[in-house]
Amino acid sequence: TEAAALQAALDDIGAEEYAWENSSRRNSIFSTPYPQGTLVVYAHSDTIALAYRFEIVSVRPYQEYVIYIDAQSGKVVEKHVTSCQFSATTTVNTVHSGSRQITTEYSSGSYTLKDYTRGNGIITFRGDSLDYYSSDNTWSNMSDYDRIALDAHWGVEATYDYFLEKFQRNSYDGLGGQIKLFVNDVLEGANASWYSSSHSIHYGRTNTAPFVDLDITAHEIMHGVTNSTSKLRYYGESGALNEGLSDVFAVCVEKYAKPNNGDSIWIFGENVKPGGVRNLLNPVCRFYKGTGWYDEEGHEKDIHYLSGVFSYWFYLLAAGGSGTNEAGVNYSVEGIGLDNAIRICYQMNMHHLHSNSNYFDACLSSYLAAEELGYSDYIEQIRNAWTAVGVEMLAHTYISGSSMVCGSTEYTYSIVYSPYIYSLELVGADAQQFSLYTSGDTCTVTPLVSNRELNEFIQLSVRYHVKL
């Protein structure tokens, strides 16, 4: 029947949406009636068949087809595209990033914000799921609210190029996955979100500004990368790591696409909010379970606050810094550079972090990643940075005994991740006054000076030396 033939045609085309399906589109450029089949005798080369001929227009993706369905078998006899389409590059004036080159698509007399030269496509829609159009590919006759779509489109292209160039990663999933953008989505408000189910970013808007910026775009794409790799769950410490990874990759994408931005690369969302949404140079929470970790009622704050520990660790690792942390421990980190630091993060996320990873897992993963990348010389600086934010102390075992240690005293301790080779060392102001012997899950501390009074805890620091 004609109905069965049409269903066979639609199954073969497999579009997300067709021109006649949404009533809001019927008076738009997509105004086309419900497809009607014409029964014809199809004859081409050696093929002769009784067939239904349909003209079908899809909206997502936009395409015009003529398709013939065999009236007896229901199979496709022939399908071809009737619209003239090609990719084009053009230079546009973005809102936040000035003059930039983007890739668009020409079809049926107009240009749309669709780039099929990168993976399986970068497609930018309005918040109501309609296309943006330009008759001449200059995109000059747009309000700032609409022109912000150029920032989003270029931002995803720049982020795609960064991952491909730096990590040979083809789109968020490494497989060329298509990315869809919905700009000025009023349901998002002052926010932007990555939706894993639809592989899309929804950019919100307020009464003052659309929520679009290059680092916001890179941040959201990185959520897609994380969802395709470590799958860090979006709560607690795993959620903090998820957010932290998105923030630090946003820094690197901005440095890649805007190399002259200086320290402003560390300010997240500076173009959508005065002072930025987050400051990675001075996060509210920069010490593990320290200031900014808990609210007034003693509950852990939102993961966007807890992520500051990871972000600040990354900043110190990349750029270096020294000081005294909230535990009163002095630290000094020699920066290893942005590219080296982010490679460690990428290796961590690809091969070591998992859905329930916490900050201690991240600490250990960073050492493993450095070893695998041939960055053994950087491990001490990685450790110094973790010490600065209070995470390295998670890898310590604290022992305490009587305040007077007159002879050999035995303590027990537990080691996490026992499959790895580790060593223990005494740390503290009086450490040089004691010797340390370990066996199994016990250690023996012996004073080198008799009747030496110990006025503070002896700290056993677990230093992991990974055997790969």
Side-chain angles (χ1 to χ4, degrees):
T1 65
E2 178 185 343
L6 176 59
Q7 188 59 54
L10 298 180
D11 289 345
D12 183 79
I13 292 172
E16 292 184 44
E17 187 175 2
Y18 296 93
W20 61 88
E21 290 183 324
N22 190 328
S23 59
S24 66
R25 301 178 187 275
R26 288 175 185 165
N27 295 322
S28 72
I29 191 173
F30 299 115
S31 180
T32 60
Y34 191 82
Q36 302 294 316
T38 302
L39 195 61
V40 300
V41 175
Y42 176 92
H44 180 73
S45 187
D46 294 332
T47 302
I48 299 178
L50 185 66
Y52 285 100
R53 180 186 184 275
F54 295 97
E55 295 182 3
I56 296 176
V57 179
S58 66
V59 174
R60 290 193 291 171
Y62 180 76
Q63 195 65 273
E64 299 176 9
Y65 300 92
V66 170
I67 187 168
Y68 295 85
I69 302 296
D70 190 301
Q72 292 179 316
S73 68
K75 295 181 179 180
V76 176
V77 179
E78 180 185 314
K79 178 180 67 176
H80 60 268
V81 175
T82 60
S83 55
C84 173
Q85 292 178 292
F86 60 84
S87 294
T89 58
T90 185
T91 300
V92 297
N93 183 28
T94 67
V95 176
H96 296 315
S97 298
S99 180
R100 299 288 173 176
Q101 188 176 82
I102 63 172
T103 299
T104 61
E105 183 179 68
Y106 175 83
S107 178
S108 299
S110 62
Y111 297 86
T112 53
L113 292 178
K114 298 175 182 177
D115 177 1
Y116 290 105
T117 68
R118 290 171 170 88
N120 291 318
I122 296 168
I123 306 173
T124 303
F125 295 109
R126 298 161 55 99
D128 56 8
S129 301
L130 293 171
D131 277 308
Y132 289 95
Y133 289 99
S134 174
S135 60
D136 57 6
N137 212 23
T138 63
W139 303 90
S140 56
N141 296 323
M142 304 175 78
S143 67
D144 280 354
Y145 272 113
D146 283 336
R147 193 158 54 91
I148 202 70
L150 306 177
D151 292 67
H153 193 72
W154 169 75
V156 175
E157 290 178 332
T159 304
Y160 177 96
D161 292 347
Y162 170 82
F163 277 100
L164 187 63
E165 179 179 324
K166 299 294 185 180
F167 302 104
Q168 294 74 57
R169 186 175 189 84
N170 184 2
S171 192
Y172 68 92
D173 58 357
L175 302 171
Q178 187 179 89
I179 302 172
K180 291 171 284 187
L181 318 179
F182 297 87
V183 184
N184 290 323
D185 184 345
V186 294
L187 298 179
E188 280 295 318
N191 193 30
S193 300
W194 169 263
Y195 289 83
S196 294
S197 59
S198 57
H199 318 303
S200 61
I201 303 175
H202 289 245
Y203 298 92
R205 61 177 284 183
T206 64
N207 292 329
T208 56
F211 209 78
V212 178
D213 206 354
L214 172 61
D215 50 12
I216 291 174
T217 293
H219 175 104
E220 299 305 333
I221 294 294
M222 185 58 199
H223 279 314
V225 174
T226 295
N227 189 66
S228 300
T229 53
S230 62
K231 294 178 169 51
L232 286 161
R233 292 185 179 182
Y234 205 62
Y235 63 84
E237 291 187 35
S238 60
L241 293 172
N242 194 324
E243 275 296 310
L245 282 164
S246 280
D247 275 357
V248 301
F249 271 92
V251 168
C252 294
V253 170
E254 185 170 341
K255 178 66 175 178
Y256 169 81
K258 297 182 175 182
N260 298 321
N261 269 19
D263 282 346
S264 68
I265 63 173
W266 300 99
I267 311 300
F268 179 71
E270 67 271 23
N271 287 318
V272 300
K273 180 181 178 181
V277 178
R278 286 187 290 281
N279 185 346
L280 278 62
L281 288 169
N282 186 27
V284 173
C285 179
R286 67 169 70 183
F287 193 79
Y288 182 77
K289 297 194 174 180
T291 300
W293 188 275
Y294 301 101
D295 61 22
E296 294 179 356
E297 297 179 351
H299 301 131
E300 286 188 347
K301 286 187 175 181
D302 181 83
I303 58 177
H304 295 84
Y305 289 96
L306 307 189
S307 66
V309 172
F310 185 87
S311 300
Y312 196 62
W313 166 80
F314 178 82
Y315 165 72
L316 290 173
L317 182 62
S322 60
T324 303
N325 67 19
E326 291 185 21
V329 176
N330 295 326
Y331 64 87
S332 179
V333 185
E334 296 178 10
I336 67 173
L338 207 59
D339 283 346
N340 292 326
I342 203 65
R343 287 191 179 279
I344 290 171
C345 292
Y346 186 79
Q347 188 77 359
M348 291 163 60
N349 207 26
M350 282 289 294
H351 301 295
H352 299 293
L353 296 177
H354 53 83
S355 60
N356 290 316
S357 286
N358 56 27
Y359 267 109
F360 181 46
D361 296 316
C363 180
L364 178 60
S365 295
S366 66
Y367 301 144
L368 290 166
E371 291 279 1
E372 292 164 351
L373 292 169
Y375 289 175
S376 297
D377 291 345
Y378 296 148
I379 287 180
E380 190 60 30
Q381 302 312 319
I382 298 171
R383 179 176 294 120
N384 291 341
W386 283 124
T387 299
V389 297
V391 174
E392 173 63 22
M393 288 189 290
L394 293 179
H396 297 169
T397 299
Y398 293 90
I399 65 171
S400 61
S402 59
S403 61
M404 188 73 72
V405 181
C406 298
S408 295
T409 305
E410 187 174 273
Y411 302 88
T412 60
Y413 61 90
S414 61
I415 299 296
V416 184
Y417 299 105
S418 57
Y420 300 107
I421 297 174
Y422 61 88
S423 63
L424 297 179
E425 61 178 337
L426 282 174
V427 177
D430 295 320
Q432 69 275 13
Q433 303 294 330
F434 301 88
S435 65
L436 175 68
Y437 172 76
T438 61
S439 177
D441 62 352
T442 64
C443 63
T444 303
V445 179
T446 303
L448 300 178
V449 179
S450 298
N451 298 322
R452 172 70 175 175
E453 185 174 351
L454 180 65
N455 295 317
E456 62 179 351
F457 290 145
I458 299 172
Q459 178 183 339
L460 290 183
S461 179
V462 182
R463 304 299 191 187
Y464 289 100
H465 302 284
V466 180
K467 183 179 182 181
L468 300 176

